Amino acid sequence: MTARSHILDLGCGTGRPMAEYILNQGHKVTGIDQAFQLLDRARTRMPSGTWIESTIEGFETDDRFAGVVCWDALFHIPRERHPAILARIAKMLIPKGRLMLTVGGSKHQHPAFTDTMFGETFFYDSFPPEKVMSMLGELGFRPLVAEFMNEPSSGRDKGRYAIVAHIA
C-alpha cells in the first residue's frame, strides 16, 4: 500500500481495532456496518473515517480500494451469500489490491449455528477454508497468508482461518 491508500472495512463495528490501526497508519478508511450504535462510536472516536450504515451483502459503491478488510464478519452471514460477496469484493479492489479475511476454520462443512458472545446471540456459517481458498482463486486472488488462527476444537470452537490475498 502507498501512503493514503483507501481501505474498506466490511463489518467494521466500532472501528476497533482494524479501522483505527489503518487510520493511525495514515490511510483513508471507509467502514461499513449494519449496527448504527457501533458506527456512532466509530464516528465519535475516529471522525476522519467514513462510516456507512449498511449490511455487507447490501453495500454497493463505484469506489475502488487498495484493500478490503472483512475480519470476523463474513461468517455471520449465511454461506450461500459468500460467493457473491467475495465476487463484489474482487471488483472493488484496484489491481494488486489486498483482501484481509477471516472464515470459519472447520475442515468439514457443518450446519449453520448460533452461539452467544458478550451476552448476545450471534449467527455463524462458513464454508471450510479449502473451499473459500478455491473460490478466491477462481476470482483471481493469490494468497499471501492462509493459516489457522485457532484450530477447531472438539467442543464448540469451530476454529478460525485467516487469509491475506492480493488480486491479480
mmCIF file of all heavy atoms in Angstrom, residues 15-43:
data_model
loop_
_atom_site.group_PDB
_atom_site.id
_atom_site.type_symbol
_atom_site.label_atom_id
_atom_site.label_comp_id
_atom_site.label_asym_id
_atom_site.label_seq_id
_atom_site.Cartn_x
_atom_site.Cartn_y
_atom_site.Cartn_z
ATOM 1 N N GLY A 15 -14.996 0.197 14.826
ATOM 2 C CA GLY A 15 -13.761 0.645 14.181
ATOM 3 C C GLY A 15 -12.500 0.179 14.876
ATOM 4 O O GLY A 15 -11.393 0.387 14.393
ATOM 5 N N ARG A 16 -12.679 -0.497 16.009
ATOM 6 C CA ARG A 16 -11.523 -1.003 16.757
ATOM 7 C C ARG A 16 -11.459 -2.507 16.651
ATOM 8 O O ARG A 16 -12.486 -3.158 16.793
ATOM 9 C CB ARG A 16 -11.623 -0.592 18.232
ATOM 10 C CG ARG A 16 -11.339 0.856 18.452
ATOM 11 C CD ARG A 16 -11.291 1.173 19.923
ATOM 12 N NE ARG A 16 -10.824 2.535 20.121
ATOM 13 C CZ ARG A 16 -10.936 3.170 21.261
ATOM 14 N NH1 ARG A 16 -11.486 2.587 22.309
ATOM 15 N NH2 ARG A 16 -10.494 4.389 21.371
ATOM 16 N N PRO A 17 -10.333 -3.058 16.400
ATOM 17 C CA PRO A 17 -9.037 -2.411 16.273
ATOM 18 C C PRO A 17 -8.637 -2.125 14.826
ATOM 19 O O PRO A 17 -7.719 -1.355 14.578
ATOM 20 C CB PRO A 17 -8.090 -3.429 16.881
ATOM 21 C CG PRO A 17 -8.685 -4.747 16.507
ATOM 22 C CD PRO A 17 -10.192 -4.514 16.548
ATOM 23 N N MET A 18 -9.303 -2.726 13.848
ATOM 24 C CA MET A 18 -8.812 -2.701 12.470
ATOM 25 C C MET A 18 -8.792 -1.294 11.861
ATOM 26 O O MET A 18 -7.738 -0.820 11.436
ATOM 27 C CB MET A 18 -9.631 -3.655 11.591
ATOM 28 C CG MET A 18 -9.650 -5.085 12.115
ATOM 29 S SD MET A 18 -8.014 -5.731 12.458
ATOM 30 C CE MET A 18 -7.756 -6.679 11.004
ATOM 31 N N ALA A 19 -9.941 -0.639 11.758
ATOM 32 C CA ALA A 19 -10.002 0.679 11.122
ATOM 33 C C ALA A 19 -9.135 1.688 11.875
ATOM 34 O O ALA A 19 -8.455 2.517 11.253
ATOM 35 C CB ALA A 19 -11.445 1.162 11.034
ATOM 36 N N GLU A 20 -9.148 1.609 13.186
ATOM 37 C CA GLU A 20 -8.334 2.528 13.985
ATOM 38 C C GLU A 20 -6.850 2.379 13.632
ATOM 39 O O GLU A 20 -6.138 3.378 13.444
ATOM 40 C CB GLU A 20 -8.554 2.258 15.473
ATOM 41 C CG GLU A 20 -7.784 3.189 16.374
ATOM 42 C CD GLU A 20 -8.114 2.955 17.840
ATOM 43 O OE1 GLU A 20 -8.061 1.790 18.296
ATOM 44 O OE2 GLU A 20 -8.431 3.940 18.509
ATOM 45 N N TYR A 21 -6.377 1.153 13.522
ATOM 46 C CA TYR A 21 -4.973 0.912 13.171
ATOM 47 C C TYR A 21 -4.674 1.479 11.783
ATOM 48 O O TYR A 21 -3.653 2.148 11.575
ATOM 49 C CB TYR A 21 -4.649 -0.586 13.218
ATOM 50 C CG TYR A 21 -3.236 -0.872 12.827
ATOM 51 C CD1 TYR A 21 -2.200 -0.742 13.744
ATOM 52 C CD2 TYR A 21 -2.921 -1.240 11.520
ATOM 53 C CE1 TYR A 21 -0.883 -0.970 13.376
ATOM 54 C CE2 TYR A 21 -1.613 -1.474 11.140
ATOM 55 C CZ TYR A 21 -0.593 -1.339 12.066
ATOM 56 O OH TYR A 21 0.709 -1.556 11.697
ATOM 57 N N ILE A 22 -5.559 1.208 10.829
ATOM 58 C CA ILE A 22 -5.357 1.664 9.453
ATOM 59 C C ILE A 22 -5.306 3.190 9.399
ATOM 60 O O ILE A 22 -4.429 3.771 8.748
ATOM 61 C CB ILE A 22 -6.463 1.098 8.539
ATOM 62 C CG1 ILE A 22 -6.324 -0.434 8.445
ATOM 63 C CG2 ILE A 22 -6.422 1.734 7.158
ATOM 64 C CD1 ILE A 22 -7.557 -1.138 7.895
ATOM 65 N N LEU A 23 -6.243 3.851 10.074
ATOM 66 C CA LEU A 23 -6.232 5.311 10.121
ATOM 67 C C LEU A 23 -4.955 5.838 10.767
ATOM 68 O O LEU A 23 -4.362 6.813 10.284
ATOM 69 C CB LEU A 23 -7.454 5.827 10.894
ATOM 70 C CG LEU A 23 -8.791 5.740 10.169
ATOM 71 C CD1 LEU A 23 -9.947 5.972 11.142
ATOM 72 C CD2 LEU A 23 -8.850 6.732 9.013
ATOM 73 N N ASN A 24 -4.501 5.191 11.839
ATOM 74 C CA ASN A 24 -3.277 5.626 12.526
ATOM 75 C C ASN A 24 -2.031 5.450 11.671
ATOM 76 O O ASN A 24 -1.001 6.068 11.943
ATOM 77 C CB ASN A 24 -3.114 4.895 13.858
ATOM 78 C CG ASN A 24 -4.075 5.405 14.912
ATOM 79 O OD1 ASN A 24 -4.590 6.519 14.813
ATOM 80 N ND2 ASN A 24 -4.338 4.586 15.919
ATOM 81 N N GLN A 25 -2.128 4.613 10.635
ATOM 82 C CA GLN A 25 -1.006 4.436 9.710
ATOM 83 C C GLN A 25 -1.044 5.453 8.568
ATOM 84 O O GLN A 25 -0.220 5.408 7.661
ATOM 85 C CB GLN A 25 -1.003 3.008 9.139
ATOM 86 C CG GLN A 25 -0.829 1.925 10.191
ATOM 87 C CD GLN A 25 0.418 2.132 11.026
ATOM 88 O OE1 GLN A 25 1.523 2.246 10.512
ATOM 89 N NE2 GLN A 25 0.247 2.204 12.335
ATOM 90 N N GLY A 26 -2.042 6.340 8.593
ATOM 91 C CA GLY A 26 -2.110 7.403 7.596
ATOM 92 C C GLY A 26 -2.976 7.091 6.386
ATOM 93 O O GLY A 26 -2.962 7.844 5.405
ATOM 94 N N HIS A 27 -3.727 6.008 6.445
ATOM 95 C CA HIS A 27 -4.575 5.645 5.318
ATOM 96 C C HIS A 27 -5.992 6.159 5.518
ATOM 97 O O HIS A 27 -6.395 6.528 6.621
ATOM 98 C CB HIS A 27 -4.582 4.126 5.129
ATOM 99 C CG HIS A 27 -3.211 3.569 4.921
ATOM 100 N ND1 HIS A 27 -2.480 3.794 3.763
ATOM 101 C CD2 HIS A 27 -2.419 2.828 5.720
ATOM 102 C CE1 HIS A 27 -1.304 3.203 3.863
ATOM 103 N NE2 HIS A 27 -1.232 2.607 5.052
ATOM 104 N N LYS A 28 -6.752 6.141 4.445
ATOM 105 C CA LYS A 28 -8.152 6.541 4.464
ATOM 106 C C LYS A 28 -9.000 5.287 4.645
ATOM 107 O O LYS A 28 -8.726 4.257 4.032
ATOM 108 C CB LYS A 28 -8.473 7.213 3.126
ATOM 109 C CG LYS A 28 -9.866 7.718 2.977
ATOM 110 C CD LYS A 28 -10.026 8.390 1.611
ATOM 111 C CE LYS A 28 -11.481 8.753 1.402
ATOM 112 N NZ LYS A 28 -11.688 9.334 0.057
ATOM 113 N N VAL A 29 -10.041 5.358 5.494
ATOM 114 C CA VAL A 29 -10.895 4.195 5.764
ATOM 115 C C VAL A 29 -12.355 4.536 5.510
ATOM 116 O O VAL A 29 -12.840 5.591 5.915
ATOM 117 C CB VAL A 29 -10.746 3.698 7.221
ATOM 118 C CG1 VAL A 29 -11.816 2.667 7.576
ATOM 119 C CG2 VAL A 29 -9.375 3.116 7.456
ATOM 120 N N THR A 30 -13.032 3.606 4.839
ATOM 121 C CA THR A 30 -14.490 3.609 4.768
ATOM 122 C C THR A 30 -14.939 2.361 5.513
ATOM 123 O O THR A 30 -14.557 1.248 5.150
ATOM 124 C CB THR A 30 -14.992 3.576 3.314
ATOM 125 O OG1 THR A 30 -14.572 4.777 2.661
ATOM 126 C CG2 THR A 30 -16.516 3.475 3.272
ATOM 127 N N GLY A 31 -15.705 2.551 6.576
ATOM 128 C CA GLY A 31 -16.193 1.441 7.387
ATOM 129 C C GLY A 31 -17.674 1.204 7.122
ATOM 130 O O GLY A 31 -18.455 2.146 7.046
ATOM 131 N N ILE A 32 -18.045 -0.060 6.999
ATOM 132 C CA ILE A 32 -19.421 -0.475 6.733
ATOM 133 C C ILE A 32 -19.870 -1.381 7.869
ATOM 134 O O ILE A 32 -19.181 -2.349 8.210
ATOM 135 C CB ILE A 32 -19.514 -1.273 5.409
ATOM 136 C CG1 ILE A 32 -18.871 -0.524 4.254
ATOM 137 C CG2 ILE A 32 -20.953 -1.693 5.118
ATOM 138 C CD1 ILE A 32 -19.455 0.821 3.970
ATOM 139 N N ASP A 33 -21.029 -1.073 8.444
ATOM 140 C CA ASP A 33 -21.616 -1.959 9.445
ATOM 141 C C ASP A 33 -23.120 -1.710 9.479
ATOM 142 O O ASP A 33 -23.582 -0.613 9.151
ATOM 143 C CB ASP A 33 -21.015 -1.723 10.834
ATOM 144 C CG ASP A 33 -21.139 -2.954 11.720
ATOM 145 O OD1 ASP A 33 -22.248 -3.186 12.247
ATOM 146 O OD2 ASP A 33 -20.137 -3.680 11.859
ATOM 147 N N GLN A 34 -23.856 -2.729 9.874
ATOM 148 C CA GLN A 34 -25.314 -2.594 9.945
ATOM 149 C C GLN A 34 -25.796 -2.086 11.295
ATOM 150 O O GLN A 34 -26.973 -1.775 11.456
ATOM 151 C CB GLN A 34 -25.989 -3.917 9.608
ATOM 152 C CG GLN A 34 -25.708 -5.027 10.599
ATOM 153 C CD GLN A 34 -26.286 -6.345 10.155
ATOM 154 O OE1 GLN A 34 -26.826 -6.482 9.060
ATOM 155 N NE2 GLN A 34 -26.192 -7.341 11.012
ATOM 156 N N ALA A 35 -24.908 -1.974 12.273
ATOM 157 C CA ALA A 35 -25.286 -1.557 13.629
ATOM 158 C C ALA A 35 -25.002 -0.067 13.820
ATOM 159 O O ALA A 35 -23.848 0.346 13.994
ATOM 160 C CB ALA A 35 -24.537 -2.383 14.663
ATOM 161 N N PHE A 36 -26.054 0.735 13.808
ATOM 162 C CA PHE A 36 -25.920 2.182 13.966
ATOM 163 C C PHE A 36 -25.159 2.551 15.233
ATOM 164 O O PHE A 36 -24.313 3.444 15.228
ATOM 165 C CB PHE A 36 -27.299 2.857 13.961
ATOM 166 C CG PHE A 36 -27.221 4.324 14.235
ATOM 167 C CD1 PHE A 36 -26.854 5.200 13.231
ATOM 168 C CD2 PHE A 36 -27.468 4.831 15.506
ATOM 169 C CE1 PHE A 36 -26.751 6.564 13.475
ATOM 170 C CE2 PHE A 36 -27.365 6.186 15.760
ATOM 171 C CZ PHE A 36 -27.007 7.056 14.748
ATOM 172 N N GLN A 37 -25.455 1.846 16.340
ATOM 173 C CA GLN A 37 -24.818 2.188 17.618
ATOM 174 C C GLN A 37 -23.303 2.002 17.550
ATOM 175 O O GLN A 37 -22.546 2.785 18.118
ATOM 176 C CB GLN A 37 -25.370 1.320 18.760
ATOM 177 C CG GLN A 37 -26.856 1.358 18.921
ATOM 178 C CD GLN A 37 -27.540 0.254 18.093
ATOM 179 O OE1 GLN A 37 -27.136 -0.080 16.981
ATOM 180 N NE2 GLN A 37 -28.600 -0.299 18.648
ATOM 181 N N LEU A 38 -22.863 0.964 16.861
ATOM 182 C CA LEU A 38 -21.422 0.727 16.739
ATOM 183 C C LEU A 38 -20.780 1.776 15.836
ATOM 184 O O LEU A 38 -19.693 2.283 16.128
ATOM 185 C CB LEU A 38 -21.167 -0.683 16.210
ATOM 186 C CG LEU A 38 -21.700 -1.822 17.075
ATOM 187 C CD1 LEU A 38 -21.352 -3.172 16.446
ATOM 188 C CD2 LEU A 38 -21.178 -1.746 18.500
ATOM 189 N N LEU A 39 -21.464 2.121 14.747
ATOM 190 C CA LEU A 39 -20.949 3.156 13.847
ATOM 191 C C LEU A 39 -20.879 4.511 14.544
ATOM 192 O O LEU A 39 -19.968 5.295 14.291
ATOM 193 C CB LEU A 39 -21.822 3.257 12.600
ATOM 194 C CG LEU A 39 -21.702 2.110 11.620
ATOM 195 C CD1 LEU A 39 -22.770 2.228 10.538
ATOM 196 C CD2 LEU A 39 -20.322 2.037 11.006
ATOM 197 N N ASP A 40 -21.831 4.775 15.414
ATOM 198 C CA ASP A 40 -21.831 6.028 16.160
ATOM 199 C C ASP A 40 -20.571 6.134 17.018
ATOM 200 O O ASP A 40 -19.951 7.199 17.101
ATOM 201 C CB ASP A 40 -23.098 6.125 17.014
ATOM 202 C CG ASP A 40 -23.393 7.535 17.459
ATOM 203 O OD1 ASP A 40 -23.177 8.469 16.656
ATOM 204 O OD2 ASP A 40 -23.827 7.708 18.619
ATOM 205 N N ARG A 41 -20.177 5.025 17.630
ATOM 206 C CA ARG A 41 -18.915 5.010 18.402
ATOM 207 C C ARG A 41 -17.720 5.270 17.500
ATOM 208 O O ARG A 41 -16.798 6.003 17.864
ATOM 209 C CB ARG A 41 -18.739 3.675 19.110
ATOM 210 C CG ARG A 41 -19.626 3.500 20.294
ATOM 211 C CD ARG A 41 -19.267 2.211 20.995
ATOM 212 N NE ARG A 41 -20.186 1.913 22.065
ATOM 213 C CZ ARG A 41 -20.216 0.777 22.706
ATOM 214 N NH1 ARG A 41 -19.360 -0.193 22.387
ATOM 215 N NH2 ARG A 41 -21.081 0.569 23.667
ATOM 216 N N ALA A 42 -17.724 4.626 16.312
ATOM 217 C CA ALA A 42 -16.619 4.823 15.361
ATOM 218 C C ALA A 42 -16.537 6.291 14.940
ATOM 219 O O ALA A 42 -15.444 6.863 14.899
ATOM 220 C CB ALA A 42 -16.805 3.916 14.145
ATOM 221 N N ARG A 43 -17.676 6.898 14.629
ATOM 222 C CA ARG A 43 -17.697 8.310 14.216
ATOM 223 C C ARG A 43 -17.149 9.218 15.321
ATOM 224 O O ARG A 43 -16.424 10.179 15.052
ATOM 225 C CB ARG A 43 -19.125 8.744 13.892
ATOM 226 C CG ARG A 43 -19.629 8.267 12.576
ATOM 227 C CD ARG A 43 -21.038 8.808 12.286
ATOM 228 N NE ARG A 43 -21.578 8.139 11.138
ATOM 229 C CZ ARG A 43 -22.466 7.142 11.190
ATOM 230 N NH1 ARG A 43 -22.936 6.729 12.359
ATOM 231 N NH2 ARG A 43 -22.872 6.567 10.088
#
